[in-house]
Amino acid sequence: MLHHLSIAVSDLNRASSFYDAVLAPLGYVQVFADDEAVGYGYAGGGDKLCLKLADRVQVPGEGFHLAFAATEPEHIHEFHAAALVHGGQCNGLPGPRPEYGAGYYAAFVFDPDGYRIEAVINKSE
């Protein structure tokens, strides 16, 4: 359904260092970068997430979060660990989430700007 999503960041270097680290275990890489933006997706493809440098960042409230698809539970653990090392904050340790479905396994963090992000496997789908 979605082609790509862009979010505003206050410090492009800090944000790209964070997203480089947390998205690598999930198989996503930088697909472009310039002085104003950095795009992430699959190698050789277009951007699915774009970080755009902004003077003012207003993070959406609790109803908004970004969920990145993972393929293995260890990738979710690596995502979470990388987030904590690169300026993120824990918002839910890696593990099963039976309240979301029998095959739901995820970790939740806040990125350095305060966006809620998640790495997830959902075998319930």
Side-chain angles (χ1 to χ4, degrees):
M1 172 191 270
L2 299 176
H3 184 271
H4 69 274
L5 179 69
S6 297
I7 61 173
V9 298
S10 60
D11 181 326
L12 193 57
N13 289 330
R14 177 184 71 178
S16 63
S17 292
F18 175 84
Y19 281 95
D20 286 352
V22 301
L23 294 179
L26 307 179
Y28 307 114
V29 298
Q30 277 192 28
V31 294
F32 83 86
D34 61 32
D35 292 342
E36 309 248 336
V38 176
Y40 291 90
Y42 293 112
D47 66 308
K48 299 299 178 187
L49 173 67
C50 184
L51 311 177
K52 292 193 172 193
L53 183 60
D55 292 332
R56 184 171 159 265
V57 174
Q58 186 169 350
V59 176
E62 288 188 31
F64 180 85
H65 78 277
L66 300 175
F68 298 101
T71 57
E72 300 294 332
E74 59 265 21
H75 299 161
I76 293 173
H77 287 263
E78 292 168 10
F79 161 91
H80 188 266
L84 300 183
V85 169
H86 290 89
Q89 295 181 329
C90 180
N91 191 29
L93 293 170
R97 298 292 190 284
E99 65 273 25
Y100 300 139
Y104 205 100
Y105 195 95
F108 302 88
V109 299
F110 293 103
D111 82 355
D113 279 299
Y115 288 99
R116 291 167 178 82
I117 64 172
E118 168 188 4
V120 59
I121 298 169
N122 188 359
K123 294 183 179 174
S124 305
E125 296 178 329

